[in-house]
Amino acid sequence: MKRTSLYSLLKGNFSRSFLEENDCEKPQEVEGMRERGIESRGWGNEIDDRAQNVQCMTLLRGVPSRRDLSRRKYGMWRQAQKTRVARLEKQLKVKSHFEELIGRQLEKYHAHYNLAMVPTRLKDVPQFFNPEWAPPYELTTLSWLGDWRPSAILDLLRVLIRTSSTSFVSESNSIERLLSQLIDEIRIEEAVIDGAMFETQATCIFHLPFTRVKICQSGNIALSSVHAEFKKIARNITKAHQLRFKALELAVKKVLNKMDAAEFLVAFMGIQDLIHQFAVKQKLPKGPVIVPVNAQNQSVMGNSF
Amino acid sequence: MSTSHFSLLSKRKDPATLPFKHYYKNWFHALKNTLLPILDESLSTPSSPTLLSSHVLLILHHFLSYYDSLDLFATTDINNLPCLLYPSWRNSIERPFLFLGDLHPYVFTNLVRSFLDKENSDDDLGTSSTANVVVGRHWKVVMAWKEPSDDLIVKIEQIERGLRLMVPALMDRVRNAQAGVVRRLAEDWLNFNGDKGRIKIDEAVKVEMEELVSVFVDVNRLRKDVISEIVGALNVYQGALFLDGLAQFLVGFKDLHLLREIEGSKTPILD
């Protein structure tokens, strides 16, 4: 049996905090023991005579309840630690799964914007301007070339950072500065795509041979002209989708920590869904749209019929 | 008895009401089958400038009344705006070229530019779609764009400059309106912890729609002003050719054979 100072033993094996936390033998008591003739030895010293051992036992018998208490407390502490560690372990697994979920969500957006939503055939192009999947109300509210404006995605994030009283607030000043810079950059890229799109829409009158003479002469000329113009538009749609994904990726990877990123993605999806559900319910217009009578009278066609 | 008689009357279809797509169908039918042939005939056969001028005014007012009607639909009920910005009555060829629900205002100045530039170059007639409209026409019509006056060129440049200032401002307003609704919804989202039932989306969307209606009315005013200013700056033959070219351009979009080919096409669009 090894004999050591109880304090040294505790000091050597358990944390200081435990010692402070649990009411075990304190240095003063050990000092008191020393005064009473009990030598305190270092860790690993042999006990060489039984008498000393008995003396020690006798002396310690004076505080049996304390030792029992320490053991019980140690057991309880150990059990509590085990529970805490198990919780931590669980959280680590959840955190790892959490990060995986966010990564997977981004991958889904990448696949959606950069692969699934890219027009591949001539007939796909018009669908982005009156898509079956989004009613006109939703398009009016949000749409820019078929989906969210990239700058609006970052606007959403800016509001979340500014308004939130819980999350989103850590380092909010530096994040806001970074975000403002990103929004400016994204708006410039948006304006470039807008410019290319408007150029196509504005100059179509030069390129589409929509005179009766040409269409009668050859449908192929008209088809190839439309094809060439649609191709320009398809490129703009593709670039718009790429920019949308870039805005999302910047928000999630560059600006936010994982927890805030998850909250942002939930809000992004939630608001989109909110608008979609609202737009579906509108079903506009239900009855005939009213044309004030003077609108009809103003038109010269009234005389033509 | 008088009440029931009244309600019976009220159930009758009001002759002053019409779904917009029917209005558009009638408007387009009048353009294609009535006004364009009249103008075309005036341009092809020797006729008095007065008669041609009347036909020019007819078709001009037809275009202007269309934009007035769009405004009336939008302002009568702001909830009509989405179907005017994304009109189901426009076909697959037209939709990608629509800018805020109709032709981009630059189309009008570009059409004039195509006439002006054509006369400044000795290009073959067959290479320009708009130039074909002069083939087989009265000589005064054929010569209409020869040596356009400096005043005309200056005026057209002024209109172009005005457009370059105004169109980007309109687009900024659209972007800000869309960003505004996102901001309002995001604030509500946080205030109500994502509880969709408590978020007042109708209020947020209403504010946005009111601004977009205002943009829509402004862009239509711009279209009307540009068309009117262009026609005002042109002589009667030039004006007739400009409006004839515009009408033919719109009619060309509706070619059924071409539409069938586009809608059935499996041709890859990107390389």
Side-chain angles (χ1 to χ4, degrees):
Chain A
M1 186 181 175
K2 291 176 180 176
R3 199 191 69 170
T4 64
S5 151
L6 186 56
Y7 182 67
S8 301
L9 181 70
L10 290 171
K11 194 178 178 185
N13 288 282
F14 304 112
S15 70
R16 183 86 189 164
S17 63
F18 173 77
L19 284 169
E20 287 162 357
E21 196 177 49
N22 295 277
D23 191 22
C24 68
E25 289 83 352
K26 292 193 167 70
Q28 299 93 312
E29 287 168 342
V30 175
E31 201 56 42
M33 287 165 75
R34 196 178 286 130
E35 282 170 15
R36 289 192 294 270
I38 302 165
E39 278 299 316
S40 179
R41 297 185 188 179
W43 178 253
N45 287 344
E46 290 283 327
I47 299 172
D48 54 3
D49 86 77
R50 182 177 285 185
Q52 271 187 321
N53 198 1
V54 170
Q55 189 183 20
C56 179
M57 293 282 286
T58 310
L59 283 166
L60 285 174
R61 206 177 290 146
V63 284
S65 58
R66 278 178 174 266
R67 196 178 62 172
D68 288 348
L69 193 64
S70 298
R71 279 182 183 164
R72 197 167 62 247
K73 282 193 174 178
Y74 169 69
M76 283 164 67
W77 175 85
R78 189 176 171 132
Q79 192 55 43
Q81 283 300 90
K82 269 186 177 176
T83 312
R84 283 190 202 106
V85 166
R87 277 188 204 144
L88 277 175
E89 199 178 1
K90 200 175 167 186
Q91 286 301 316
L92 277 175
K93 280 181 189 166
V94 169
K95 192 187 168 198
S96 151
H97 185 58
F98 188 64
E99 288 177 7
E100 200 182 310
L101 273 179
I102 291 172
R104 237 187 274 162
Q105 185 75 353
L106 264 188
E107 278 172 24
K108 293 284 178 196
Y109 278 117
H110 170 72
H112 177 70
Y113 286 137
N114 294 336
L115 301 170
M117 294 298 279
V118 171
T120 54
R121 292 169 301 179
L122 191 62
K123 66 176 184 178
D124 294 342
V125 176
Q127 287 186 23
F128 286 90
F129 297 88
N130 271 58
E132 290 171 5
W133 58 86
Y137 224 106
E138 183 178 350
L139 295 171
T140 304
T141 307
L142 271 185
S143 185
W144 176 75
L145 289 172
D147 210 308
W148 276 66
R149 266 175 197 277
S151 59
I153 294 174
L154 296 180
D155 276 335
L156 166 67
L157 178 57
R158 181 147 65 181
V159 175
L160 295 178
I161 287 172
R162 276 185 188 165
T163 319
S164 175
S165 58
T166 52
S167 58
F168 286 109
V169 289
S170 55
E171 302 165 27
S172 61
N173 286 339
S174 60
I175 287 179
E176 264 215 66
R177 274 197 299 277
L178 174 64
L179 198 51
S180 295
Q181 187 190 333
L182 291 177
I183 289 174
D184 287 345
E185 287 170 14
I186 289 283
R187 280 190 180 162
I188 290 169
E189 291 188 62
E190 239 178 60
V192 170
I193 296 171
D194 266 341
M197 190 64 198
F198 298 157
E199 176 74 12
T200 308
Q201 289 172 332
T203 59
C204 64
I205 197 154
F206 293 142
H207 306 297
L208 298 174
F210 287 165
T211 64
R212 283 169 293 184
V213 178
K214 279 212 163 186
I215 284 183
C216 292
Q217 280 176 346
S218 172
N220 286 335
I221 293 172
L223 184 62
S224 61
S225 303
V226 172
H227 186 273
E229 294 306 294
F230 274 21
K231 196 171 177 173
K232 293 178 199 169
I233 292 168
R235 278 198 204 106
N236 291 328
I237 292 169
T238 306
K239 283 180 189 168
H241 285 322
Q242 287 167 350
L243 193 58
R244 260 187 278 278
F245 179 70
K246 184 180 170 183
L248 260 183
E249 198 178 32
L250 282 172
V252 171
K253 287 190 175 173
K254 198 166 179 177
V255 181
L256 299 172
N257 62 39
K258 295 294 173 191
M259 182 60 80
D260 288 349
E263 289 203 30
F264 163 71
L265 287 172
V266 169
F268 175 61
M269 191 62 219
I271 288 174
Q272 184 158 20
D273 188 51
L274 190 70
I275 292 171
H276 178 75
Q277 295 305 330
F278 178 76
V280 167
K281 281 180 198 158
Q282 298 304 307
K283 292 263 181 199
L284 297 170
K286 275 188 175 176
V289 178
I290 307 298
V291 182
V293 70
N294 59 348
Q296 291 283 293
N297 291 344
Q298 279 173 14
S299 171
V300 291
M301 78 181 180
N303 300 328
S304 308
F305 289 140
Chain B
M1 188 172 169
S2 61
T3 309
S4 64
H5 183 66
F6 220 80
S7 58
L8 189 68
L9 279 176
S10 67
K11 282 179 185 170
R12 287 175 58 196
K13 193 177 177 186
D14 184 350
T17 66
L18 201 63
F20 193 84
K21 68 177 179 183
H22 293 165
Y23 166 84
Y24 179 78
K25 194 179 166 190
N26 290 343
W27 180 88
F28 183 78
H29 185 269
L31 179 75
K32 182 185 175 187
N33 300 312
T34 308
L35 297 171
L36 189 55
I38 290 173
L39 187 67
D40 209 34
E41 197 180 330
S42 297
L43 285 165
S44 304
T45 56
S47 60
S48 74
T50 314
L51 189 60
L52 183 61
S53 179
S54 301
H55 293 160
V56 166
L57 283 177
L58 268 179
I59 202 163
L60 172 65
H61 284 128
H62 193 61
F63 277 115
L64 300 182
S65 72
Y66 167 70
Y67 293 115
D68 284 336
S69 300
L70 278 178
D71 288 350
L72 281 165
F73 277 101
T75 51
T76 302
D77 181 354
I78 57 170
N79 291 325
N80 289 334
L81 183 69
C83 67
L84 297 175
L85 287 177
Y86 296 92
S88 61
W89 48 87
R90 297 297 194 127
N91 68 35
S92 300
I93 309 175
E94 293 173 294
R95 286 174 191 169
F97 297 104
L98 295 180
F99 170 88
L100 292 175
D102 196 71
L103 293 176
H104 195 293
Y106 286 1
V107 165
F108 310 125
T109 50
N110 282 341
L111 177 59
V112 177
R113 198 42 81 182
S114 72
F115 285 115
L116 289 172
D117 294 348
K118 182 66 197 166
E119 291 311 316
N120 290 333
S121 68
D122 290 328
D123 199 4
D124 175 28
L125 282 179
T127 59
S128 166
S129 58
T130 51
N132 279 329
V133 297
V134 300
V135 176
R137 298 241 162 105
H138 188 258
W139 71 272
K140 282 187 177 172
V141 175
V142 176
M143 300 302 286
W145 291 97
K146 285 284 178 195
E147 298 178 2
S149 69
D150 290 344
D151 284 351
L152 174 61
I153 292 170
V154 168
K155 179 69 185 165
I156 299 301
E157 283 171 353
Q158 273 177 358
I159 297 171
E160 287 173 334
R161 272 200 298 277
L163 277 181
R164 278 198 292 272
L165 285 175
M166 283 184 262
V167 171
L170 288 171
M171 292 320 294
D172 283 349
R173 284 170 63 192
V174 172
R175 193 190 62 202
N176 291 338
Q178 289 187 327
V181 79
V182 168
R183 273 197 293 275
R184 276 183 282 275
L185 291 176
E187 282 164 10
D188 278 3
W189 181 269
L190 280 177
N191 290 339
F192 299 119
N193 291 321
D195 182 350
K196 293 179 189 170
R198 296 174 68 194
I199 295 174
K200 297 178 179 68
I201 183 169
D202 45 349
E203 286 177 17
V205 171
K206 190 182 171 213
V207 173
E208 183 199 15
M209 285 294 165
E210 282 169 350
E211 170 60 4
L212 290 178
V213 165
S214 160
V215 173
F216 187 64
V217 169
D218 285 348
V219 75
N220 287 334
R221 185 182 301 121
L222 196 57
R223 289 175 180 125
K224 282 186 290 186
D225 288 350
V226 169
I227 294 173
S228 301
E229 283 181 36
I230 288 172
V231 174
L234 303 177
N235 67 36
V236 68
Y237 298 104
Q238 290 167 335
L241 285 173
F242 168 76
L243 291 170
D244 182 77
L246 185 57
Q248 286 200 39
F249 185 64
L250 290 177
V251 170
F253 274 107
K254 307 282 190 190
D255 183 78
L256 286 177
H257 177 68
L258 180 60
L259 188 60
R260 272 197 295 273
E261 279 192 288
I262 301 287
E263 288 180 343
S265 173
K266 291 182 180 172
T267 313
I269 191 71
L270 294 173
D271 301 323

